[in-house]
Amino acid sequence: MASELSRPLLLPQNRKLRHLQGIYLRNLTLSRPRGKTIDDAALNKSPQKLEALREPQLHHAQSSGDLRPPKLRRRSTNWSGVSPDLRQKKLEDVIDSRTADTFFTLHTKGEEDPIYISEVVERAMNPTFRFFDLSGFGPATTRLDTFTIRLWVKRQDFVPLIEEEVNLGSLQFIGTLENHPFPPNCILFHLIDGIYTIDLASKPPKPKHAPSLPTSSYSALMRLSNLDESIQDALATREELAAQINEILYSNPVDESLQAEEEMALASRYVASERKLLKNSIRRRAELKASICARREAIQSGKELQSKYLEDINNAQDKLLNCKTLLQTTTSEIHGQRRRICEELSAIYPIEPTSHTLAFTICGLPLPNSTFEDADEDIVSAALGYVARLVDMLQYYLSVPLPYPISPYGSRSLIQDFISVLQDNQRTFPLYMKGVIRFRFDYGVFLLNKNIERLAESQGLKVMDIRQTLPNLKYVLYVCSAGSSELPARKAGGIRGLITGREVEIGSRRGSADSGIVGAQSEAVRKALEIGGVEPKGKIDGNGNGKGKGMENVASLPFMDANVQTLRTRGLRENIKR
């Protein structure tokens, strides 16, 4: 098997240009080799000539003067004292002198332009070019066995280095690129059965002698001969029968009715199929028309709706601006009212410092910072009642829900914890010390401090120590009442009318259920006062008696016989008995 692989598959006379697949170049040398003339390419490089050139040649005998051993040349390859930069430059110069950019072109007789131009292989001493396929050319080119190859190298510019006329029949087969010493500028040709070259000769190995195998016997050969004669007779009979059948077919007329019927049936099937397709197409066209009409109507309705929305948006722009302005005004007023309320709360529940550090009093009562060992129980309970009342009011005025609800009952205030995980089912904790477990009191004070911390966080404040009850609360009040603008005035409200010591409801909140009834009653009062000569803006003394004239006629008003009257103030309703 190894001997078959090392043999060419193509005969020399059968090698054509269409069998060429690739070209290699080995040992690129830019200078002309010594001992070789410029016209060496024109020599006859037949196998016999190359074999003769490789035979040992005779040399002249040396004289007695030449018998002395030649002197060894001094070598300049001592790199011990050379710097690394010089050594690197020397190596780069050697590499540059042996490498170059190369490409090749293939030419045929009678063609001015090359039939193939390879790619450029940069800086290579053994360039390997890509494989190519010349079978796309016409037979006039692919059946040639002779062509010209030109090898181009680049020094300053591309110049031809080698121009060789190659006859594929005279190439020498080497099989592979391994284990072959190549001469300078050796060109290798890759055909479909292996690699060939011009400069190297290769002798195909002789086949090995194998032992002879036993052949068939005489009787077996005779049986094979008889079988062959039987096969020949069968073939002759088949040919005779075929000739007779053809003669019968030619002599009888051809009946084309069956074929016509088959063609008609086929045409009928085609017509039915086309009619079915036409029916489906008509139905599909109707569906598409209906869909298009529905889409047009939808588009039209969408445009109308869009135009309506755009009109509404344009009309709502002014309203939006007014609403934004009103929102800003309301927000500013709310902030101002909160400042005023916090200022008033600071005046109602004054928190003042004492001589001790971080010790404050509320309404004159001292309250320690979560340390109640030596404190008076009644004073602490009363102070915590003030704090609880103040914190409970602040959650409504600042709109900050407290996590722990407070029941401000003065010195018996309570606080509840519904969110913590506790083992005790009793979740109401006292804010007074007398008669309660100390732990529950301390936990209630802790919950109160957490509520104060929640109020501080709602205003963007950070509490350093939640145990400082009054300092943290005063800090919250100070920040909530701070501002550069003037405090707004309190809105007018209170009792609309006080007549003969009885409170009369004259106004009602707009939108309430009894607003109509109250309006009618106020109108009746106004008319009665006008008839009786009573001034609507008459002064009323502290006992509720009017100072204006005609007050004696108010006893006849329809609501004077009621024992219970309603006292209505703005935002506050309560029943008051006489």
Side-chain angles (χ1 to χ4, degrees):
M1 188 67 181
S3 115
E4 292 181 359
L5 291 176
S6 61
R7 292 176 178 272
L9 300 179
L10 296 174
L11 296 176
Q13 60 271 19
N14 291 337
R15 300 171 191 160
K16 304 299 179 183
L17 192 59
R18 64 176 178 270
H19 299 142
L20 184 61
Q21 294 180 345
I23 291 178
Y24 312 102
L25 179 64
R26 292 296 179 265
N27 295 336
L28 175 63
T29 303
L30 301 179
S31 60
R32 189 180 66 188
R34 295 182 179 180
K36 189 173 183 180
T37 61
I38 195 63
D39 56 347
D40 286 340
L43 292 175
N44 181 15
K45 295 186 178 180
S46 61
Q48 295 80 10
K49 182 66 175 178
L50 292 174
E51 195 66 29
L53 290 175
R54 291 188 180 88
E55 293 179 357
Q57 299 180 1
L58 297 176
H59 298 279
H60 295 283
Q62 295 180 350
S63 62
S64 59
D66 296 331
L67 294 177
R68 290 175 297 179
K71 294 182 179 180
L72 297 177
R73 297 176 58 187
R74 292 184 61 186
R75 302 183 64 182
S76 60
T77 58
N78 187 8
W79 298 88
S80 60
V82 179
S83 63
D85 295 338
L86 183 59
R87 184 182 304 176
Q88 180 69 21
K89 187 176 183 304
K90 183 66 176 178
L91 293 176
E92 290 178 357
D93 293 341
V94 171
I95 293 174
D96 291 338
S97 64
R98 297 297 302 273
T99 59
D101 299 345
T102 58
F103 75 95
F104 70 89
T105 57
L106 300 180
H107 305 263
T108 58
K109 188 176 182 181
E111 295 288 341
E112 296 182 0
D113 297 332
I115 62 173
Y116 178 76
I117 301 176
S118 72
E119 76 282 359
V120 177
V121 179
E122 299 179 352
R123 296 180 58 84
M125 188 173 63
N126 298 314
T128 299
F129 301 97
R130 287 199 297 262
F131 280 18
F132 51 85
D133 185 12
L134 301 178
S135 60
F137 295 94
T141 301
T142 58
R143 294 178 181 177
L144 295 176
D145 59 353
T146 303
F147 63 94
T148 302
I149 179 172
R150 292 179 183 175
L151 184 67
W152 302 75
V153 297
K154 181 179 181 182
R155 302 304 290 173
Q156 300 296 330
D157 196 1
F158 280 103
V159 294
L161 178 65
I162 300 174
E163 182 175 354
E164 189 80 27
E165 184 177 359
V166 180
N167 188 342
L168 296 176
S170 62
L171 296 179
Q172 305 298 320
F173 181 80
I174 62 175
T176 61
L177 297 175
E178 299 177 355
N179 302 324
H180 291 287
F182 298 109
N185 295 333
C186 180
I187 303 177
L188 305 174
F189 302 90
H190 192 113
L191 274 66
I192 60 175
D193 59 341
I195 299 176
Y196 294 79
T197 183
I198 301 176
D199 300 329
L200 297 178
S202 176
K203 295 182 179 180
K206 297 180 180 179
K208 297 181 179 179
H209 295 284
S212 59
L213 299 176
T215 184
S216 301
S217 61
Y218 176 77
S219 59
L221 294 177
M222 290 303 296
R223 286 195 302 270
L224 184 60
S225 177
N226 295 335
L227 182 60
D228 182 58
E229 291 179 357
S230 300
I231 293 173
Q232 296 299 328
D233 293 341
L235 292 176
T237 304
R238 188 190 66 178
E239 294 294 334
E240 184 178 357
L241 291 175
Q244 292 176 3
I245 291 171
N246 291 333
E247 184 179 357
I248 293 172
L249 291 176
Y250 288 145
S251 61
N252 295 330
V254 179
D255 187 8
E256 297 180 355
S257 60
L258 296 177
Q259 184 177 1
E261 291 177 358
E262 292 179 359
E263 292 178 356
M264 184 180 66
L266 181 60
S268 300
R269 289 196 296 270
Y270 284 157
V271 170
S273 177
E274 292 298 327
R275 286 179 179 176
K276 186 177 181 180
L277 292 176
L278 178 61
K279 184 178 180 180
N280 294 333
S281 300
I282 294 174
R283 184 184 63 186
R284 179 61 178 168
R285 183 185 64 180
E287 292 176 356
L288 290 177
K289 284 185 178 180
S291 177
I292 290 173
C293 292
R295 291 181 181 182
R296 286 178 179 173
E297 294 177 357
I299 291 172
Q300 184 65 26
S301 62
K303 287 182 178 179
E304 294 176 358
L305 189 61
Q306 183 180 6
S307 61
K308 181 180 178 181
Y309 287 159
L310 289 176
E311 184 178 358
D312 294 341
I313 291 173
N314 294 330
N315 296 333
Q317 291 296 328
D318 297 337
K319 186 177 180 181
L320 178 61
L321 294 177
N322 295 334
C323 292
K324 288 183 178 180
T325 305
L326 181 60
L327 176 62
Q328 294 177 358
T329 304
T330 306
T331 304
S332 177
E333 291 178 356
I334 290 174
H335 181 67
Q337 293 296 332
R338 285 178 176 174
R339 287 180 53 206
R340 181 188 60 77
I341 291 172
C342 292
E343 190 73 24
E344 292 179 357
L345 290 176
S346 298
I348 295 172
Y349 299 97
I351 300 175
E352 302 296 338
T354 61
S355 59
H356 300 284
T357 304
L358 294 178
F360 289 80
T361 62
I362 180 169
C363 297
L365 300 177
L367 180 64
N369 294 325
S370 302
T371 303
F372 308 101
E373 282 76 8
D374 300 331
D376 189 356
E377 295 181 356
D378 296 335
I379 295 177
V380 170
S381 300
L384 288 176
Y386 288 137
V387 174
R389 183 60 179 173
L390 181 56
V391 172
D392 184 63
M393 295 174 67
L394 283 176
Q395 74 167 331
Y396 302 114
Y397 292 131
L398 300 180
S399 299
V400 180
L402 297 179
Y404 307 104
I406 299 175
S407 299
Y409 299 147
S411 60
R412 289 296 182 266
S413 299
L414 303 174
I415 191 168
Q416 297 173 340
D417 182 8
F418 297 111
I419 60 177
S420 300
V421 179
L422 301 176
Q423 296 179 357
D424 191 2
N425 295 329
Q426 184 66 25
R427 292 181 173 270
T428 302
F429 299 91
L431 293 177
Y432 52 90
M433 300 175 61
K434 184 176 293 186
V436 296
I437 300 175
R438 182 59 182 272
F439 166 74
R440 298 184 63 81
F441 169 73
D442 293 338
Y443 190 73
V445 174
F446 169 74
L447 297 180
L448 181 63
N449 292 333
K450 293 297 290 184
N451 285 340
I452 297 174
E453 182 185 18
R454 177 68 185 92
L455 294 175
E457 290 177 352
S458 67
Q459 304 302 316
L461 306 177
K462 185 177 180 180
V463 176
M464 302 302 295
D465 188 0
I466 65 172
R467 295 176 300 176
Q468 300 174 3
T469 306
L470 290 180
N472 294 335
L473 186 58
K474 185 175 180 60
Y475 187 27
V476 172
L477 290 174
Y478 176 76
V479 172
C480 292
S481 61
S484 59
S485 61
E486 186 178 357
L487 289 176
R490 185 172 183 176
K491 290 188 176 182
I495 302 173
R496 295 289 182 87
L498 296 176
I499 302 175
T500 65
R502 296 188 177 186
E503 296 80 2
V504 182
E505 182 184 35
I506 298 178
S508 179
R509 288 182 297 177
R510 183 176 301 174
S512 62
D514 56 350
S515 61
I517 300 175
V518 173
Q521 292 180 356
S522 63
E523 184 66 20
V525 171
R526 186 181 63 79
K527 290 182 179 181
L529 292 176
E530 291 178 356
I531 294 172
V534 180
E535 295 180 1
K537 296 183 179 180
K539 296 182 180 180
I540 300 174
D541 58 7
N543 298 324
N545 298 322
K547 297 294 185 178
K549 64 179 181 177
M551 294 299 294
E552 63 275 4
N553 296 327
V554 300
S556 61
L557 293 178
F559 52 84
M560 285 303 176
D561 55 349
N563 295 325
V564 179
Q565 298 296 335
T566 300
L567 178 64
R568 174 66 58 86
T569 60
R570 186 178 300 274
L572 179 64
R573 177 184 296 176
E574 59 185 7
N575 295 329
I576 301 176
K577 296 182 180 180
R578 293 198 311 173

